[in-house]
Amino acid sequence: MEHLADRRNLTTGIRQAIALLKVPADNPALTAAQFDAFSKQVPLLYFILATNLISLSLTHQGAAPDYLVVYLPAVLTFLFALRSLIWLRGRNRQRTPAQAYRQLRATNILSFPIAVVCTAWSLSLLPYGNAYQNAHVAFFMAITVIGCIFCLMHLRSAALIVTVTVNLPFFVVMCLSGEPTFIATGVNVILVTMAMIMILISHYRDFRQLHESRNVLMLQQQALQEQNKAMQALSDENLRLANLDSLTLLANRRSFFQMLETAFSRASGSDGRLAVGVIDLDGFKPVNDLYGHSAGDKVLIEIGNRLSTIADERLSVYRLGGDEFGLLFQGDVAEGDTITLGEKVCELIAERINIGSGMVQVTGSVGFALYPDVGKTGQEIYELADYALYTAKRRHRAGTVIFNAVQANELNRQKVVEEALVSADLDEELSLVFQPITCVDRRICIGFEALARWDSPRIGRVSPVEFIPVAEHNGRITLMTRILLERALKTASLWPEDIYLSFNLSPHDLTSPENTLKIVAIVLKSGFDPRRINFEITETAVMHDFEQASASIQMLRELGAGISLDDFGTGYSSLNHVHKLPLTKIKIDGSFVRNIHTRKTSFNIVKSVLALCAEMELEAIVEGVETEEELRILENLGVRAVQGYYFGKPMSAEDTLKQLALQKTQALAS
Ligand code: C2E
Ligand code: CA
Ligand code: CA
């Protein structure tokens, strides 16, 4: 058994020793690196061999036969020079690891015959020389083998083959000579070469490790690069998402303003033109309110899809938020192109949309501003386009408006009003007029609507149509409402008990509980019977924040006051709000009264709104009645209360008292 184990150990030992004499084939990258380092040293190796060969032949000239010291060295030197040249020429050629392996293996194999020939040759010179010459042979063999080990540092197997092939016969011959100096030389050379082989083995190991750690480093670098690439891709994707509207997949508001700046710089830097468009949907909110948000989403997605069909390299489409979209039209844009584009956009929007549970229709308004006709910055062009949109929407029908001189004047005027209002002494400059509300049957005044007036010492009398929106914008409206309500209640307290006060509230008055509470407090403080007050609210108040507005309205109702929905018919979501809010009255807008005797649609609208009011037990007041004819038609339709120039223009507080006194005497007389 023991014998068998010994044999097995012996065979593995032999196998390991043979492996040391072979070029390792397990690591192609290592082989390539080995080849690279080795190829630089091969010419030096042949140089050492040739010079040593020549030097030894020279010291043996005449002593040994010519074939040994002339012809053979000449042939060998020639072959070494040739091999050197081949290596030198092939130095820069790219090799695959397989080619490198083959060449290393060839060198490995070749090292054996070269070592044999050189050893045999030098030993064959020994019988011809004297002691000095023999010492040169010993020196030749020792120095050559050391030189070769050095040069073959990167081809461990060849170094070992050479060492064994040269040293073994050398040592034997040295010992057989019986000469102590030679024996000492033999032992010395063996010991030195053994040490060198150990250095070589450890060097080879270091080389291998260095190579491996460099590989690991390279792999780490590659991994890092890949990671960087992935991170870049991720941040690109984030950037894309940050600029994309997730619902419609159009570019978003942020991207719009970025592109606007780029397009503006381009246009302003090259005398180019640029049109900025802002689109707003009309009738979108009712879809959202009546059919739910998912239906609203479907509408927005569909419109986004339709709008993206007209986008090209000159025209880009964005979703700015809510039901608002943006357009950037670059290049040589003329006003005519913009109008055509606006019409196309309105056409696309107005096509009916399938929301699953049915078909709905919304319309669109578009406002445009054209650079360089107007605007000095990208932001300003956008604001002007937005103002043009506001104008389009004020006209209450879908269409395109391009910012022009008329709006420029309006906008200027708005700025003038704003400036004057900021520094206005509201207590001093504001006043109220009162317009009678008449009972049609009895032709008597049943109430007054309080209407604000502003006489500015700087810009004269300003219409509430102008200053109310500005005051709403800059927040002064809350103070205005308080001043006006206190005054209105003061006047109304002078009226007989059967006359009520109608007072306009702005959206601001309903958007916070504090503002509404303040109104309640003013009413309570005045001592005026809240049941004689009617607050007029508009749809915009409710559209902003429906929940808060309806809570505020509820608060006023609990106080005992009535609530009218003003300007009914001019908004979009009217019907829906009528259902949901605790209203008491509806004021049908004067625009439906104009030419009611000639316009069938106006007539029909008033008729159906009256029917709706009757069904919901709401009072109806028709505003803006100016003529006998209008009144007659309304009377036939069953209208009970009206307001308008026909019965009375807005009048001062004093005049209300005069009119009421007159009414009283007339009543007493009849
Ligand atoms: P509104 O509440 O619809 O008021 C009716 C407007 O129509 C008044 O204009 C009135 O003078 C005018 N009007 C009355 N009868 C006729 C008519 O037969 N024909 C014509 N063409 N117009 C008639 P005004 O006083 O210029 O007020 C305009 C708007 O300003 C008001 O519209 C209201 O929305 C707002 N407003 C007025 N006073 C106040 C206020 O004290 N607070 C708030 N928040 N808004 C006010
Ligand atoms: Ca009103
Ligand atoms: Ca009105």
Side-chain angles (χ1 to χ4, degrees):
M1 278 304 269
E2 223 170 72
H3 187 65
L4 236 156
D6 280 352
R7 268 183 56 186
R8 202 173 297 141
N9 282 346
L10 190 71
T11 25
T12 25
I14 292 170
R15 222 179 273 141
Q16 277 172 351
I18 290 173
L20 277 177
L21 302 179
K22 281 183 172 171
V23 180
D26 57 335
N27 188 341
L30 179 69
T31 311
Q34 221 179 329
F35 180 83
D36 233 31
F38 173 67
S39 62
K40 289 193 190 94
Q41 282 148 18
V42 175
L44 290 172
L45 172 75
Y46 284 119
F47 172 78
I48 292 170
L49 282 174
T51 48
N52 289 0
L53 198 80
I54 292 166
S55 122
L56 192 63
S57 345
L58 285 178
T59 55
H60 283 77
Q61 287 298 319
D66 278 358
Y67 72 91
L68 274 183
V69 290
V70 180
Y71 305 119
L72 190 67
V75 171
L76 286 175
T77 309
F78 173 76
L79 286 176
F80 293 159
L82 196 71
R83 289 286 304 158
S84 261
L85 263 176
I86 292 171
W87 274 95
L88 276 172
R89 284 186 59 188
R91 201 172 36 175
N92 294 326
R93 198 173 349 122
Q94 278 294 325
R95 283 173 180 79
T96 61
Q99 285 170 330
Y101 172 74
R102 273 201 300 277
Q103 201 158 346
L104 287 180
R105 216 178 53 162
T107 308
N108 210 36
I109 294 167
L110 197 63
S111 66
F112 180 67
I114 292 177
V116 169
V117 169
C118 287
T119 310
W121 173 73
S122 51
L123 292 179
S124 70
L125 290 177
L126 280 177
Y128 301 103
N130 55 26
Y132 293 124
Q133 285 164 321
N134 284 351
H136 192 188
V137 171
F139 173 76
F140 165 83
M141 293 185 77
I143 197 77
T144 307
V145 87
I146 290 170
C148 287
I149 292 174
F150 237 93
C151 293
L152 292 168
M153 204 179 276
H154 293 103
L155 192 59
R156 187 185 55 178
S157 46
L160 286 172
I161 290 172
V162 170
T163 311
V164 173
T165 319
V166 178
N167 277 359
L168 262 182
F170 173 70
F171 183 69
V172 171
V173 170
M174 289 296 121
C175 288
L176 287 179
S177 73
E179 173 61 45
T181 322
F182 280 142
I183 296 171
T185 309
V187 172
N188 193 182
V189 169
I190 288 290
L191 291 177
V192 170
T193 46
M194 266 167 66
M196 288 202 60
I197 288 294
M198 276 161 78
I199 294 173
L200 179 134
I201 288 173
S202 98
H203 171 269
Y204 182 79
R205 202 184 302 126
D206 288 349
F207 177 79
R208 201 183 166 110
Q209 271 169 4
L210 198 75
H211 174 81
E212 266 156 19
S213 56
R214 213 184 56 190
N215 268 1
V216 169
L217 210 71
M218 260 162 60
L219 284 175
Q220 278 174 347
Q221 269 173 355
Q222 264 173 16
L224 212 68
Q225 275 170 4
E226 234 122 76
Q227 206 178 350
N228 279 347
K229 258 192 233 160
M231 300 252 291
Q232 185 62 43
L234 201 69
S235 84
D236 285 353
E237 178 65 4
N238 278 344
L239 196 70
R240 197 181 71 84
L241 289 178
N243 286 311
L244 208 67
D245 171 58
S246 55
L247 182 69
T248 59
L249 300 183
L250 290 176
N252 63 13
R253 185 179 186 87
R254 179 192 147 113
S255 158
F256 173 80
F257 283 104
Q258 264 171 9
M259 279 312 294
L260 173 61
E261 286 315 315
T262 315
F264 176 75
S265 313
R266 198 178 299 147
S268 59
S270 62
D271 290 335
R273 294 178 67 80
L274 165 70
V276 175
V278 189
I279 306 166
D280 193 274
L281 304 184
D282 305 318
F284 173 72
K285 286 203 173 66
V287 172
N288 233 359
D289 288 350
L290 291 173
Y291 301 98
H293 284 278
S294 70
D297 285 353
K298 277 187 191 141
V299 169
L300 291 173
I301 292 168
E302 175 59 23
I303 287 174
N305 286 344
R306 289 179 191 173
L307 291 178
S308 56
T309 59
I310 53 167
D312 57 27
E313 66 275 9
R314 282 177 68 199
L315 175 70
S316 39
V317 182
Y318 305 81
R319 179 170 174 224
L320 301 182
D323 58 350
E324 211 174 90
F325 295 84
L327 299 170
L328 286 181
F329 196 10
Q330 302 183 59
D332 191 20
V333 191
E335 197 169 306
D337 301 334
T338 327
I339 291 176
T340 318
L341 173 62
E343 280 166 359
K344 179 76 195 163
V345 165
C346 291
E347 213 174 275
L348 287 173
I349 293 175
E351 266 174 50
R352 279 147 54 85
I353 298 169
N354 191 344
I355 53 163
S357 54
M359 301 294 282
V360 294
Q361 188 182 22
V362 294
T363 53
S365 304
V366 194
F368 275 112
L370 261 86
Y371 176 84
D373 305 355
V374 292
K376 286 184 190 66
T377 62
Q379 179 69 26
E380 195 189 343
I381 306 171
Y382 162 75
E383 279 164 14
L384 298 179
D386 200 39
Y387 190 81
L389 169 68
Y390 166 70
T391 312
K393 287 195 79 87
R394 255 187 327 184
R395 290 182 187 166
H396 292 316
R397 60 188 146 85
T400 306
V401 170
I402 297 177
F403 188 86
N404 59 20
V406 176
Q407 285 131 41
N409 280 339
E410 273 177 17
L411 208 59
N412 272 341
R413 169 74 182 164
Q414 218 179 58
K415 280 188 191 129
V416 170
V417 170
E418 184 141 22
E419 270 169 31
L421 192 67
V422 168
S423 58
D425 177 354
L426 295 179
D427 249 330
E428 190 60 35
E429 297 166 26
L430 281 181
S431 60
L432 277 174
V433 288
F434 299 86
Q435 184 175 35
I437 299 164
T438 309
C439 165
V440 181
D441 289 346
R442 299 190 290 149
R443 297 288 202 268
I444 56 157
C445 170
I446 50 170
F448 285 98
E449 177 180 2
L451 295 161
R453 295 292 175 259
W454 176 32
D455 290 288
S456 162
R458 281 172 61 184
I459 56 170
R461 174 159 277 210
V462 186
S463 155
V465 180
E466 273 190 321
F467 75 78
I468 296 285
V470 175
E472 271 166 4
H473 187 70
N474 71 11
R476 292 210 90 185
I477 190 73
T478 5
L479 179 61
M480 254 184 203
T481 302
R482 287 169 202 172
I483 294 172
L484 293 171
L485 182 58
E486 275 169 11
R487 282 203 204 152
L489 288 167
K490 214 164 159 187
T491 303
S493 60
L494 305 172
W495 300 334
E497 294 216 329
D498 55 346
I499 303 295
Y500 74 87
L501 167 72
S502 212
F503 187 86
N504 293 289
L505 290 181
S506 96
H508 255 76
D509 299 317
L510 303 173
T511 44
S512 81
E514 297 85 65
N515 288 353
T516 316
L517 278 171
K518 193 80 194 166
I519 290 167
V520 172
I522 292 170
V523 173
L524 293 176
K525 198 174 151 211
S526 73
F528 190 79
D529 184 355
R531 286 168 302 178
R532 286 173 62 200
I533 307 174
N534 177 67
F535 287 108
E536 299 192 7
I537 60 160
T538 55
E539 265 181 67
T540 26
V542 190
M543 296 225 312
H544 251 78
D545 179 351
F546 186 88
E547 297 306 319
Q548 179 51 44
S550 65
S552 294
I553 292 165
Q554 190 58 44
M555 208 190 292
L556 296 173
R557 286 283 282 126
E558 277 160 20
L559 183 70
I563 307 286
S564 306
L565 190 63
D566 205 355
D567 305 336
F568 189 83
T570 59
Y572 301 98
S573 49
S574 319
L575 278 176
N576 196 31
H577 292 148
V578 171
H579 278 291
K580 288 188 185 160
L581 295 169
L583 300 170
T584 49
K585 285 190 183 68
I586 277 180
K587 293 187 82 171
I588 301 171
D589 193 68
S591 57
F592 297 105
V593 182
R594 251 3 32 87
N595 305 320
I596 193 167
H597 46 289
T598 51
R599 280 180 63 185
K600 192 81 184 140
T601 28
S602 296
F603 179 86
N604 286 339
I605 287 170
V606 174
K607 196 174 155 185
S608 52
V609 173
L610 288 172
L612 181 87
C613 288
E615 196 181 308
M616 296 180 69
E617 296 176 342
L618 291 171
E619 263 181 67
I621 299 178
V622 180
E623 294 186 292
V625 181
E626 290 182 354
T627 64
E628 171 94 56
E629 203 169 12
E630 287 163 2
L631 180 69
R632 200 172 34 79
I633 293 170
L634 292 169
E635 209 173 356
N636 287 341
L637 279 173
V639 173
R640 303 260 75 85
V642 296
Q643 200 180 334
Y645 294 166
Y646 180 73
F647 281 113
K649 290 199 168 179
M651 59 186 81
S652 67
E654 274 167 58
D655 288 348
T656 59
L657 297 177
K658 282 182 198 156
Q659 173 162 343
L660 290 171
L662 187 71
Q663 188 167 298
K664 197 173 174 189
T665 39
Q666 278 171 352
L668 285 173
S670 61

